[in-house]
Every structure is written in structure tokens, then in C-alpha cells.
Amino acid sequence: MTDLLTTDFTDTPYWWEAAPLTEVSSSTLAPAYDVVVVGSGYTGLRAALTLARAGRSVTVLDKERPGYGASRRNAGFIGRTLKKAYIDLKAAKGTAHATAIYRDLTVAFESTFAFIEEEGIECHAVRCGRLIAATSPAHHALLERELAGMKADLGLPYTMLPRERLREEMASDLYDGGAVIPDLGSLHPGLYHHGLMTRALAAGVAIVGNCEVTAIEPSAGQGARFRVTTAVGQTRARDVVIATNGYTTANLPWHARRVIPFVGYMAATEPLPPALLQKQLPHRRTVIDANLDIDFFRPAPDSPRLLFGGATANGLQDPAAIAALLHGRLRRALPDLADVRLSHVWTGQCAGTFDMMPHIGCHDGIWHGMGYNFAGVPMGSFFGLKIAQRILGQPEGACAFEQAPFPTLPFYRGNPWFLPLAMRYFAWKDARLAQRRPATPA
Ligand SMILES: Cc1cc2nc3c(=O)[nH]c(=O)nc-3n(C[C@H](O)[C@H](O)[C@H](O)COP(=O)(O)OP(=O)(O)OC[C@H]3O[C@@H](n4cnc5c(N)ncnc54)[C@H](O)[C@@H]3O)c2cc1C
């Protein structure tokens, strides 16, 4: 077991090496703000930055140090798809709804790149392309159907890759080929978050860490509609934004009842000889497999390491046990790396939803953006912007996602006891699909 880990092994995110968490907190709150934002990830900071630049007084409150959530822990893939596949959404809700949702995803994707460029945030944002690796011939056929549907209706590009050409993209024989989406991207999530945070601070946002919000109640008078109680005292606000995603606490009960928190796992290898790394992913694309329960791989943007993850919601907590599990996934996909050691293993909280869709909206006068189902890099940035535009009364704040009700289930209070069952169901569905022979064209 110890042979798997470097001597300087740590269970903190690799991204924190370049973007360590800081305490930008003041321990006191002003008596009132125009807007209180709960949660200091991409969603909260993008909303706060937009509002502050429009002249609003804004504070961002976080239970932990700012950036402690998934925004400095994720894989940094920038895509424009959802857990809910386009063809499934189209079958369930019709073409007009599905295309409106997926067009907004494209806007989220493009506007994230545009924002990073306009702001000059140095976070290794690149359009490196993505390989989606098929886990069986049936997955390959399903992937082709999905991508063909998206190309026909939305004009989105892709190239299918047969099994015999997989090694052009990845030093692996595990997969039945896949598809390359040439323009999808990646970034360094820690540096992106750091860039957002420094710009929010420069715009006058008060970012307060170690400040859990414990209650939000209606309040009368002086333009403040809400009284916000926190671990360091009370304040009042005209508007409140909940941007807590997979970290939503039970004292935000309406929101906690609607998100399903689950743990994502990631690891970094020790620095690799450049030629060995280059051989693994020759085009430096991101890689994700086509399963419901995904494995994913990418080169680090700032050092010769491979970063990867998977085995979502497996229940493990011990870093050494997580390292052993993830190393097994690494060896299986990229056998050349069987002897490399891991320098970092970390976890982060994601948020699923009962309809597998992200949600933005306003309930009882309180705004929310959450439930990103692993797509929060572009979607969190996009929803933060949209919420701010809504608060400012700007018509461009409208988006296709706000029309759907945010579902929950009877008796669900935010404790996802059913997750192990759900993951087993996903594994069963993946295995069942893998056994199916793809339909041959007539
Ligand atoms: C391992 C992993 C890999 C991922 N990979 C990708 C990827 O490649 N691409 C992608 O698009 N997405 C990915 N995601 C998802 C993405 O990281 C998230 O969807 C996104 O960061 C959510 O941002 P956020 O601002 O909404 O929330 P977060 O960044 O999670 O921040 C929420 C914050 O709310 C705070 N909070 C909670 N309750 C309270 C309270 N009561 N009072 C005060 N503060 C509170 C928390 O402390 C936390 O800091 C991944 C996630 C994980 C965990």
C-alpha cells in the first residue's frame, strides 16, 4: 500500500498548491447589505462580482475558508453537456425545450471562456478537446446517436473514433473507441477561483469565512427584506442568494431537501517523465468515459502529472484506501502507469438533483443556483451571472433553466441514504448496456 504513495503524499487538493486557501475574512458584519450571498464558490462569487460592479453593497459568507467547496477541488473540465443526455431530454420534454436548455449550456460554456479572457484571469483555460471513451460497443453506438442528435439540432461538432484508433488519443486498450469533441476545454480550477475572488474583493465585496449562515428570516423595514443569522452575528439584506451546491447545510431546509450531496474523488500522480505523460494523452485532451459512473483523466496544466478521478460516492473516507481504489482505476485504463505513485488524493462534495438538472430560481424571495451534477465550472459561473442580472432587473437574466420546478421527494431532508443503491443501479445500467449488442444499421 505505502508503495502507491509518495513520501510527501497529502490528502489536500493538488490545486491548492498553486492556489492555497486564504483567510480573507473580517469577523464582523455590517448592519445591512444590499445582497448577502451564501457560499463562496464560482456561483456565489460570480453573482457577487456582478452585483458589486453594478454598485450594490455585497457580502459573501462561507461556513469554511473562502473557496473550501468544490470550486477549488474539481477536475477543471469545461463542457456543455448534462447528466441528462440531450436525446433523453428531447424524448421526455420535446425538441423546443431540449434545444433551449442545450443552447443555454453552450452560452454558459462560451461565456465562461469569454469572461476569463476579458478579465485576464490566468488559469490555463484552453480549448483542448475532450475524448469520451466508450466502455462497450453499445456505449459507442449510444454515444454516436447522442452526438449525431446534438449535431443535427444544435450544430455541435464531434468525430467518432473506432476502437482500433483509440491509441491515437490515449495509451489504452480498455475502451471501445469513443468520440472526440474538438472544442471542449479545461482550466486550473484553483486559479480560476482565485482570479474570481481577487476581482470580487477589488470590486468591494466583503468575503467572510468561517461564517455559517444558520437562519434566513423575513425582516420588515429600511429596505431590508431579510434578517440573516450567522455564526458571527446578524445582518440584514434586501436580497439573499444561496450558492451552496453540494455543501448545502440542513439549516437551509428548502434547498437541502432538493439537492443530493455526493462525494467525488480525485488523485494526482507524482511528476512523470514528460515522454511517458505525452504518450498517455498525446493531444493533452481531457478524457471521460461514457458510463453513468464515470472515470476521468487529464494532464495537469502546470506540471508533468496526470490527474484523474472516479469511483464516485463509493463511501470511502480513508485517504490511503481511496488512493488504492483510484490507483486500480489508473492501472486498468493506463497500464504504462502501473508503477507510478500518487502524490495527492482528495475529495469534494457535488450536488445531484432528483431530475438530474441544475436549477436556478427564486423561492420565497431568496435566489438559488445549484444542483450542477458535475457541470458546475461553466454552469456555476453562468448561474451566478444570471442571478445577479435578475436581481438588477436586467432582462438578459432570463434563461431556459429557470422554468422547471425544483423537485424533492416526500420525507427527504438532505440525507441521501439511498446513494449506495443509486450508484449500484448506475453500475447495473452500465453493465446491462455493455452486454447489449449495438443495433446494426438496416
Ligand atoms: C471531485 C470533483 C470533480 C468535479 N469536476 C468537475 C469538472 O471537471 N467540471 C465541472 O464543470 N464541474 C466539476 N465538478 C463540480 C463543480 O466543482 C461544482 O459544481 C462547482 O464547483 C459548484 O460551485 P458552487 O459555487 O455552486 O459551490 P461550491 O464551490 O461547492 O461552494 C459552496 C460553498 O458553500 C458553503 N456553504 C454551505 N452551506 C453554508 C452555510 N449554511 N453558510 C455559509 N456557507 C455555506 C460551503 O462551505 C462551500 O464553500 C466537480 C466536483 C468535484 C467534487
Side-chain angles (χ1 to χ4, degrees), residues 346-362:
W346 69 98
T347 63
Q349 292 280 132
C350 305
T353 52
F354 289 105
D355 58 2
M356 299 219 280
M357 297 289 284
H359 285 271
I360 181 171
C362 189

Side-chain angles (χ1 to χ4, degrees), residues 38-44 61-64 68-71 73-77 211-213 243-245 247-249 251-252 264-266 348-350 372 374-378:
V38 188
S40 66
Y42 304 138
T43 312
L61 310 180
D62 203 290
K63 182 172 174 288
E64 310 284 345
Y68 177 85
S71 296
R73 295 168 181 270
N74 63 74
F77 290 27
C211 182
E212 180 174 2
V213 170
T244 49
N245 204 46
Y247 291 80
T248 304
T249 47
N251 46 34
L252 303 168
Y265 296 84
M266 280 197 72
Q349 292 280 132
C350 305
Y372 300 122
F374 258 123
V377 176

Side-chain angles (χ1 to χ4, degrees), residues 312-327:
T312 303
N314 65 63
L316 291 180
Q317 290 177 355
D318 171 38
I322 297 167
L325 179 66
L326 290 182
H327 201 277

